[in-house]
Amino acid sequence: EETNMPGKKAAKRPSPSVEVKPSKKVKVSHGSHGKQAGQVLVLGQGDVGQLGLGEDVMERKRPALVSLPESVVQAEAGGMHTVCLSDTGNIYTFGCNDEGALGRDTSEEGSETRPGKVELQEKVVQVSAGDSHSAALTEDGTVYIWGSFRDNNGVIGLLEPMKKCTLPVQIPIEEPVVKIASGNDHLVMLTLSGELYSSGCGEQGQLGRVPERFTNRGGRKGLKRLLVPQRVLVRARGKVHFKDVFCGAYFTFAVSKEGHVYGFGLSNYHQLGTQGTSSCFSPVKLTAFRNSTTSWVAFSGGQHHTICLDSEGKVYSLGRAEYGRLGLGQGAEEKAEPTPVPEMVDVQSVACGASVSYAVTMQGSVFAWGMGTNLQLGTGEEDDEWSPVEMMGKQLENREVLSVSSGGQHTVLLVKEKQES
């Protein structure tokens, strides 16, 4: 393959008796790793413990504080569970553990409804969460995963066919990983050299490496084709190196070092920004994101829509419009390309749940829009919101929001105390 690999020279030494020391472990870093520590607020539905507030709390209309033993740098909402990463690199989970998504023993009655620690000896720098799986990236670029992937017919397994893992297991991948991202039932890993690896369900093309005819449980090669992480290859002149990756529920966005946006997976409402509505089973260079004036810094996808953020802090939406999830005003229709969300400027991060959307401003306010049914918008009501509404609540007073993550029916905010100016 490549001749300029570091460490190759050492191997050419004539004397076989000289020991070649294993290369020093890397410490991986990526702009997406959580840097600022804070506290965790939750809202929405909590019938399986995903709010982390104990057995008796089934829903919260306004953000509520979760009691955690440490400060948190990242809080991820999965389909029905929550994963929190502490500033010391520990993981705490709560919510539904039927498929093992919590990565810890919850045999004690009610223990899944409050934060509990996942035993992992290494320091973790990033976590991700899907419908019934969770993943963790350690500081040396190793990835652990637990829970299970599912397809339309049920469980497909995690690393081995039909086997769920209730405790963290290491993913076999040769190269250090710098970022992980989860869709509902797939995991994408970005490596140090800019490669993408994917594993999980490929039915909608979200793995970007499994042709349609093999997506039904891997065809004759079986589920291993899906569950063993393999590289996503891009048809292009010359090699494409990636610098970032993001997942929607059933689709994936990847940004190349040159700033080109690639997508693969479900686009039945144009949520990938494709002109057609068929699924993409390998990476497509997305012309809808060709924009000379700005670069794209973040993407977040729900089931059928995408919210994206440019380097100037402007927010755009595309895909399905029902229930107001695009934030484009009452009666807006589906969009096949990124469309500016009015008045959403000076934004630092965006997030999507299944049919809801969020934007966090530089000042630390959070705006929400979309389907109100699960109380995820924080308005206190179940009405849909077709335009962004600022989230209010007692727990948000004197706090600034650092980031948001939204799951199937609940939403998690990472917040810190406002500094006295």
Side-chain angles (χ1 to χ4, degrees):
E1 292 277 302
E2 311 214 351
T3 49
N4 59 351
M5 287 290 283
K8 278 275 161 78
K9 284 200 182 74
K12 287 189 184 138
R13 284 187 196 155
S15 158
S17 61
V18 177
E19 271 189 57
V20 181
K21 285 206 179 83
S23 60
K24 188 173 174 292
K25 280 210 164 148
V26 289
K27 266 201 178 171
V28 299
S29 74
H30 188 269
S32 59
H33 299 180
K35 302 282 185 288
Q36 290 186 282
Q39 296 168 292
V40 175
L41 303 181
V42 289
L43 67 155
Q45 298 296 343
D47 50 340
V48 290
Q50 66 266 57
L51 298 178
L53 302 171
E55 295 177 84
D56 307 326
V57 183
M58 291 299 153
E59 61 175 42
R60 284 309 298 249
K61 293 182 176 181
R62 302 270 185 198
L65 187 64
V66 180
S67 172
L68 282 146
E70 302 185 70
S71 290
V72 167
V73 292
Q74 191 191 358
E76 290 294 320
M80 294 192 291
H81 72 292
T82 306
V83 182
C84 298
L85 173 62
S86 81
D87 54 355
T88 60
N90 291 322
I91 299 172
Y92 297 88
T93 59
F94 42 93
C96 179
N97 201 26
D98 294 355
E99 304 285 348
L102 299 190
R104 59 185 177 88
D105 177 20
T106 54
S107 48
E108 189 191 325
E109 184 71 36
S111 62
E112 75 282 359
T113 67
R114 291 195 183 280
K117 194 171 167 204
V118 175
E119 292 305 328
L120 205 57
Q121 297 316 309
E122 294 154 74
K123 185 181 179 190
V124 173
V125 294
Q126 191 167 52
V127 291
S128 69
D131 267 4
S132 44
H133 76 274
S134 307
L137 172 65
T138 71
E139 63 179 351
D140 66 5
T142 306
V143 181
Y144 289 86
I145 191 168
W146 55 95
S148 171
F149 294 121
R150 306 173 65 93
D151 66 7
N152 279 328
N153 299 310
V155 169
I156 59 173
L158 195 66
L159 287 179
E160 291 184 49
M162 308 312 288
K163 281 194 184 147
K164 65 180 185 186
C165 298
T166 55
L167 297 173
V169 285
Q170 188 177 332
I171 290 188
I173 177 167
E174 295 294 304
E175 206 194 323
V177 170
V178 297
K179 181 179 183 181
I180 54 175
S182 286
N184 283 16
D185 284 290
H186 74 293
L187 177 74
V188 184
M189 294 164 278
L190 173 68
T191 70
L192 195 56
S193 69
E195 311 268 21
L196 289 183
Y197 284 76
S198 64
S199 66
C201 172
E203 282 177 329
Q204 288 84 20
Q206 62 266 61
L207 298 182
R209 60 173 180 80
V210 181
E212 185 165 12
R213 63 184 183 278
F214 298 126
T215 55
N216 185 359
R217 307 230 153 176
R220 51 171 200 280
K221 279 192 189 166
L223 286 168
K224 283 229 185 269
R225 184 194 286 265
L226 307 174
L227 300 177
V228 176
Q230 285 169 33
R231 215 165 92 203
V232 178
L233 298 171
V234 182
R235 291 193 197 96
R237 288 193 211 100
K239 196 156 182 212
V240 177
H241 291 274
F242 291 100
K243 62 180 178 183
D244 219 338
V245 66
F246 306 88
C247 289
Y250 309 107
F251 48 100
T252 305
F253 285 98
V255 183
S256 75
K257 294 237 158 91
E258 295 75 40
H260 299 301
V261 179
Y262 290 81
F264 41 95
L266 187 69
S267 198
N268 56 342
Y269 290 91
H270 307 280
Q271 58 264 50
L272 278 180
T274 49
Q275 269 142 17
T277 51
S278 48
S279 291
C280 302
F281 288 87
S282 57
V284 174
K285 198 178 198 175
L286 299 169
T287 54
F289 292 93
R290 242 189 232 151
N291 188 334
S292 53
T293 56
T294 182
S295 58
W296 297 98
V297 294
F299 296 82
S300 182
Q303 275 190 329
H304 299 131
H305 78 296
T306 299
I307 303 290
C308 24
L309 178 65
D310 73 12
S311 53
E312 292 165 11
K314 294 211 233 2
V315 177
Y316 302 76
S317 61
L318 61 155
R320 191 175 183 180
E322 270 96 339
Y323 314 120
R325 72 192 88 183
L326 297 183
L328 301 174
Q330 192 76 41
E333 308 212 329
E334 77 181 57
K335 300 291 180 204
E337 49 189 55
T339 307
V341 178
E343 288 158 41
M344 282 284 91
V345 293
D346 215 12
V347 166
Q348 58 164 324
S349 70
V350 291
C352 289
S355 313
V356 291
S357 309
Y358 303 88
V360 180
T361 67
M362 297 289 188
Q363 295 74 34
S365 306
V366 59
F367 289 81
W369 59 94
M371 190 168 91
T373 311
N374 299 313
L375 301 170
Q376 286 173 285
L377 302 179
T379 58
E381 307 296 328
E382 290 192 27
D383 302 338
D384 300 337
E385 295 290 346
W386 286 74
S387 294
V389 178
E390 186 173 354
M391 203 185 285
M392 300 291 190
K394 200 145 194 68
Q395 294 293 347
L396 285 170
E397 286 169 20
N398 301 316
R399 288 196 173 115
E400 55 181 291
V401 178
L402 299 169
S403 65
V404 187
S405 176
S406 190
Q409 297 169 306
H410 75 298
T411 297
V412 183
L413 310 176
L414 183 63
V415 298
K416 68 168 194 178
E417 306 296 323
K418 276 203 175 118
Q419 302 300 315
E420 297 300 318
S421 48

